[in-house]
Amino acid sequence: MSNIQQIDNTYIAHTYARFPVQLVKGKGSLVWDENGKEYIDLGSGIAVNGFGISDDAWLEAVTEQLKKLPHSSNLYYTEPCARLAQMLCERTGMKRVFFGNSGAEANECLIKAARKYAAEKHGPDCYTIVTLRNSFHGRTLTTLSATGQDHYHELYQPLTPGFAHIAPGDMDSLKALAATTKIAAVLIECVQGEGGVVPLDRAFTDALAQFCAENDVLLAVDEVQTGNGRSGQLYAYMCYDLKPDIVSTAKGLGGGLPIGACLLGEKVQDVFAPGDHGSTFGGNPAACAGGVSILGRTDEALLAGVRERSAYIFDALTGAPGVEAVNGLGLMIGIKTVKPAREVVAKCIENGVLCLTAKDRVRLLPALNIPMDQLKKAVAVLRAACGE
Ligand SMILES: *Cc1c(COP(=O)(O)O)cnc(C)c1O
């Protein structure tokens, strides 16, 4: 174990089960450890480095902004923040944006917007937000309460009240709940990322959308992981033809810097007044300048490349030795392996490929523009690791 790994183990809270790899630099989809060993990166820092590590145009946009004005607070106007919000709204049809610094913070805003809207419109007893079992919405106490996985809840009682969970597909439970409880919003991930990369069924999302429209319930979509091109469309809800009232996103939006965004649709666009919500770092000019660079280049050509790379991975791994199933959407892929996922990932690290896990699956979240030759090489390593 290296000196840095020892210092980290001594001084960093033990919330992460790190792999024994110390990374020092990266470029595109390649990354190097402290011994100079090269890896092909199929994790992108958990869907953050969407254009690869230190992408040239992103780096220039961020560096220019860092030289001019790295931070200003939200007391003043800055161009990158305004431009990124404009781009997000023009590309989605949403009306306004609140910027924070993480996925959890984007979801906190989403929850606050839904609660305030519903209380004002339907009365103070209309606050329940329905989420799905096996979902993941963040690690703040309230987003943890939204998360539909009991094991995240056990250590942190009492949780924020006002959340109910139904199984994906279970419209009957939703309707039964609606008969006794006022529902403010339904919050979904179109593909449950941390839950094992499980896409929702189209029939279910159609039924949910209809339920929300008929009952004046807000439809909210967590695009923290699925968003910003990863699904093969700009946002995964577009693959499902949904028209959400609120969308949260983060991870890939900043291209490598912390950012989160809550997109408010027509119904909720005016829900917040000055003082109702805020964030010191939210809308940070450097992070937003990076976001403008990333979103501006997340065009149809890039998205077609995502779909092409996705098809390649599905073809190469479906039915391969040691592979039980391949699931996902775009470049968000979960692989059920015969061997424990963590063993497969460790074997891949040994052979120069970084991939992730989600529940009992190996999870791939490569850069959206990973060069095909690197992708092929990495998938061959992974395929071998599954089959050995
Ligand atoms: C990662 C993730 C979050 C939490 O994002 P943080 O930036 O870690 O706070 C929330 N929702 C989904 C779907 C995620 O994948």
Side-chain angles (χ1 to χ4, degrees):
M1 195 184 290
S2 79
N3 190 32
I4 290 301
Q5 289 176 42
Q6 278 167 8
I7 294 172
D8 185 297
N9 288 341
T10 307
Y11 293 109
I12 295 287
H14 289 176
T15 58
Y16 305 106
R18 299 200 207 278
F19 287 101
V21 179
Q22 183 193 333
L23 298 177
V24 290
K25 63 172 185 177
K27 189 69 191 170
S29 288
L30 297 177
V31 63
W32 290 272
D33 71 13
E34 87 279 19
N35 302 314
K37 179 174 168 182
E38 181 180 290
Y39 302 84
I40 302 172
D41 179 16
L42 297 184
S44 326
I46 318 188
V48 167
N49 301 312
F51 279 63
I53 297 164
S54 243
D55 166 74
D56 287 331
W58 172 86
L59 189 61
E60 193 184 322
V62 170
T63 313
E64 283 310 302
Q65 188 58 44
L66 283 174
K67 287 184 202 157
K68 283 193 287 194
L69 183 68
H71 176 76
S72 68
S73 89
N74 279 302
L75 299 173
Y76 313 102
Y77 294 93
T78 60
E79 179 169 353
C81 171
R83 289 262 181 249
L84 184 58
Q86 179 184 23
M87 287 169 96
L88 284 166
C89 288
E90 287 178 356
R91 299 277 302 269
T92 60
M94 303 300 275
K95 300 298 181 194
R96 295 191 208 285
V97 179
F98 176 86
F99 286 119
N101 309 283
S102 66
E105 204 182 341
N107 280 333
E108 287 277 344
C109 177
L110 179 151
I111 292 161
K112 280 183 163 183
R115 278 204 173 171
K116 185 159 186 284
Y117 172 86
E120 283 168 1
K121 182 132 191 244
H122 304 296
D125 58 340
C126 186
Y127 53 76
T128 296
I129 296 175
V130 177
T131 70
L132 301 184
R133 295 212 182 283
N134 199 43
S135 60
F136 183 82
H137 298 296
R139 295 183 185 275
T140 62
L141 204 46
T142 292
T143 56
L144 207 61
S145 311
T147 293
Q149 301 190 50
D150 291 340
H151 70 97
Y152 283 115
H153 294 169
E154 281 152 13
L155 301 176
Y156 301 110
Q157 299 289 326
L159 300 177
T160 305
F163 292 94
H165 311 290
I166 61 164
D170 189 0
M171 287 303 297
D172 290 344
S173 290
L174 181 59
K175 286 173 184 162
L177 181 71
T180 59
T181 307
K182 284 191 179 179
I183 299 176
V186 175
L187 169 62
I188 59 170
E189 301 156 88
C190 291
V191 182
Q192 297 187 321
E194 303 301 314
V197 198
V198 189
L200 298 184
D201 284 336
R202 177 65 191 254
F204 175 52
T205 59
D206 283 353
L208 260 187
Q210 193 188 346
F211 171 88
C212 287
E214 285 173 4
N215 295 282
D216 199 7
V217 166
L218 295 170
L219 179 59
V221 181
D222 180 339
E223 295 267 3
V224 171
Q225 191 164 155
T226 51
N228 312 300
R230 184 144 299 275
S231 68
Q233 297 293 339
L234 184 59
Y235 290 101
Y237 74 76
M238 295 169 175
C239 302
Y240 285 81
D241 293 319
L242 294 172
K243 294 211 164 27
D245 299 300
I246 321 180
V247 173
S248 58
T249 189
K251 291 192 169 94
L253 180 60
L257 284 176
I259 191 170
C262 179
L263 282 51
L264 304 169
E266 201 168 343
K267 276 191 189 172
V268 293
Q269 61 177 321
D270 293 320
V271 72
F272 292 128
D276 286 348
H277 192 44
S279 170
T280 299
F281 282 107
N284 173 271
C288 286
V292 168
S293 166
I294 293 296
L295 207 60
R297 289 178 293 141
T298 307
D299 54 13
E300 191 38 52
L302 181 94
L303 297 173
V306 169
R307 300 192 289 268
E308 184 193 329
R309 286 164 176 77
S310 174
Y312 174 78
I313 298 172
F314 271 89
D315 282 353
L317 295 176
T318 305
V323 172
E324 285 178 1
V326 185
N327 290 89
L329 186 64
L331 285 177
M332 191 171 167
I333 295 175
I335 305 150
K336 176 100 183 68
T337 51
V338 175
K339 282 199 282 184
R342 226 180 141 83
E343 260 176 46
V344 174
V345 171
K347 191 79 203 163
C348 285
I349 290 176
E350 222 178 285
N351 294 325
V353 171
L354 299 182
C355 35
L356 311 167
T357 61
K359 286 277 182 71
D360 62 346
R361 313 250 157 162
V362 176
R363 174 172 48 159
L364 308 183
L365 298 166
L368 308 183
N369 63 357
I370 182 173
M372 271 316 280
D373 59 321
Q374 291 173 13
L375 180 62
K376 286 181 181 172
K377 221 170 125 185
V379 167
V381 167
L382 171 60
R383 204 183 135 105
C386 294
E388 267 167 18

